[in-house]
Amino acid sequence: MAQPLVSVIMPCYNHEKYVEQSIQSVLDQPYKNIELIVIDDGSRDTTPEIIRKLGDQYGFYYELQGVNKGICHTLNKAISHASGRYIKFLASDDFLHEQSILEFINHMEKDPKIDACFGDLIEVDKEGNDVRLLKSGVSKLFQSRFLVSSIVNVSPEMAIQVSPMIGSAYIIKRSVLGEFGAFDEDQIVEDWDLFLFLVCHLKKISYIPSIAGYWRRIELRERPVRRDNKRWFLSDIHIVTKYRHYVSRRSFEAAIKNLIRFHASIAMTCNESPVYLLRVARKYLFVWALFADFGFVSRVLGFYREKALTKLHSKVYR
């Protein structure tokens, strides 16, 4: 049986420590009908030099953007160069399991109705040491909120409340990606949008209990360049609002509240003021119910108290 072409798309940004391992994990796959498309999104470290060296050595397509244009622009550009029947996204700090593409394509080719296939991920730390198994590539945050045995059991009501998926866990048909359309380049969140499209439009999602790859978890404080948290929050709000008509009002309201709690904690972790989150209350009045949540309010007030004490200390002892 002829092997269908698989396009592996790798957007890169400031991952000089990891990008070679990521690329090599694709090149070493026993499944050989693969086109690798690597686009660097204006990295400020040595990532472009590493990509150029490997691209010239192995002959895969690469492009080095001199200016950072965002993940969605980079993905759209890479997809425009892709010719495969199937698309696999791989972050440049993650890496594939040695048999993943072969196993997933064999599974999908047996059932032409499958639109996207998910597998398990192994979470690793920044040094590459195994941390935990993520069943179906479902994020830890989602697992703590919902008890699901597989990604195929995730409903729109669940998926709109917190993003369940991690991008390296799946392979998708190119035709289904065409139905989804281009990623919104005004946003900086792409995988949640795509998954909500799949579940809300009743696409056939399959799962195999096999390791798709390794997902590297890097804490916010340790990331080379932390993304704009305000834009991240607004992107999440945009996605949830986009799919609000596929779920109940209760689920939609819970989703907005979850996002405010989540991003407030991120802002405080990164030593930023979370005050911009409150602007959403102008549009969604039910957000004010959060202020009846004593735990949420106390954490926010604690953040400001800590900032005020630090400022006072610096004035007294400078």
Side-chain angles (χ1 to χ4, degrees):
M1 182 176 67
Q3 292 184 330
L5 180 64
V6 178
S7 300
V8 178
I9 289 175
M10 185 184 299
C12 305
Y13 185 60
N14 286 353
H15 280 152
E16 61 184 0
K17 295 180 180 178
Y18 312 120
V19 66
E20 183 170 358
Q21 181 183 24
S22 185
I23 289 173
Q24 203 64 51
S25 74
V26 179
L27 300 175
D28 291 342
Q29 291 288 306
Y31 189 96
K32 294 304 178 185
N33 197 15
I34 295 175
E35 62 171 5
L36 174 59
I37 300 169
V38 180
I39 298 185
D40 180 75
D41 190 21
S43 292
R44 299 197 294 245
D45 59 8
T46 62
T47 299
E49 288 74 19
I50 295 170
I51 293 171
R52 182 185 291 110
K53 176 184 175 183
L54 293 173
D56 293 343
Q57 180 180 352
Y58 292 104
F60 59 80
Y61 178 86
Y62 70 88
E63 189 170 330
L64 308 177
Q65 297 180 156
V67 178
N68 180 261
K69 298 182 179 180
I71 181 66
C72 292
H73 171 90
T74 303
L75 288 175
N76 286 336
K77 177 177 281 191
I79 292 168
S80 71
H81 292 288
S83 305
R85 184 188 304 175
Y86 298 97
I87 302 288
K88 171 74 177 179
F89 297 111
L90 182 65
S92 55
D93 57 341
D94 300 338
F95 53 101
L96 296 179
H97 185 268
E98 56 192 17
Q99 295 282 341
S100 65
I101 292 183
L102 178 63
E103 292 179 356
F104 280 70
I105 296 303
N106 286 343
H107 177 76
M108 295 183 76
E109 284 290 287
K110 289 177 183 177
D111 184 356
K113 294 182 180 180
I114 296 175
D115 296 307
C117 184
F118 285 75
D120 300 332
L121 287 177
I122 295 177
E123 180 183 331
V124 298
D125 61 21
K126 61 181 180 179
E127 305 300 332
N129 302 308
D130 293 1
V131 175
R132 63 174 62 87
L133 176 68
L134 297 173
K135 294 289 291 182
S136 298
V138 172
S139 67
K140 183 182 176 184
L141 182 63
F142 186 89
Q143 289 176 340
S144 66
R145 190 176 296 274
F146 298 103
L147 294 176
V148 292
S149 58
S150 168
I151 198 84
V152 299
N153 303 126
V154 176
S155 67
E157 301 282 338
M158 296 176 182
I160 201 169
Q161 292 193 39
V162 58
S163 177
M165 68 180 286
I166 298 171
S168 303
Y170 71 99
I171 291 180
I172 187 171
K173 279 184 177 176
R174 171 64 185 270
S175 57
V176 176
L177 200 58
E179 292 179 42
F180 169 74
F183 291 103
D184 187 344
E185 296 186 10
D186 291 330
Q187 311 303 321
I188 59 173
V189 179
E190 79 292 345
D191 47 7
W192 194 9
D193 192 359
L194 179 56
F195 186 78
L196 276 167
F197 170 83
L198 292 175
V199 297
C200 290
H201 290 82
L202 304 178
K203 298 301 180 182
K204 183 170 182 179
I205 299 173
S206 184
Y207 162 72
I208 57 175
S210 182
I211 304 300
Y214 299 83
W215 176 64
R216 197 181 308 271
R217 182 176 179 82
I218 303 175
E219 297 299 330
L220 282 169
R221 291 181 181 275
E222 297 174 340
R223 291 180 182 175
V225 177
R226 180 172 43 78
R227 61 170 143 182
D228 185 332
N229 288 329
K230 182 178 178 180
R231 283 193 64 208
W232 181 11
F233 169 69
L234 293 176
S235 288
D236 280 346
I237 291 290
H238 170 79
I239 290 169
V240 166
T241 304
K242 180 178 176 181
Y243 293 96
R244 66 182 298 180
H245 299 298
Y246 291 92
V247 300
S248 67
R249 178 176 177 177
R250 182 178 179 180
S251 293
F252 172 69
E253 292 182 0
I256 298 293
K257 293 176 183 177
N258 289 339
L259 286 176
I260 291 179
R261 290 190 186 96
F262 176 64
H263 284 277
S265 66
I266 288 178
M268 287 184 279
T269 298
C270 298
N271 201 31
E272 292 182 348
S273 170
V275 70
Y276 63 82
L277 303 173
L278 303 182
R279 295 176 185 172
V280 176
R282 298 175 183 174
K283 185 174 183 180
Y284 303 114
L285 297 179
F286 59 82
V287 166
W288 291 105
L290 277 175
F291 291 96
D293 181 348
F294 179 75
F296 174 73
V297 173
S298 64
R299 286 193 295 273
V300 174
L301 292 178
F303 167 79
Y304 282 110
R305 178 178 179 273
E306 182 180 341
K307 292 279 285 185
L309 289 175
T310 301
K311 187 175 181 179
L312 178 63
H313 182 275
S314 64
K315 286 183 177 179
V316 172
Y317 292 101
R318 65 183 176 181

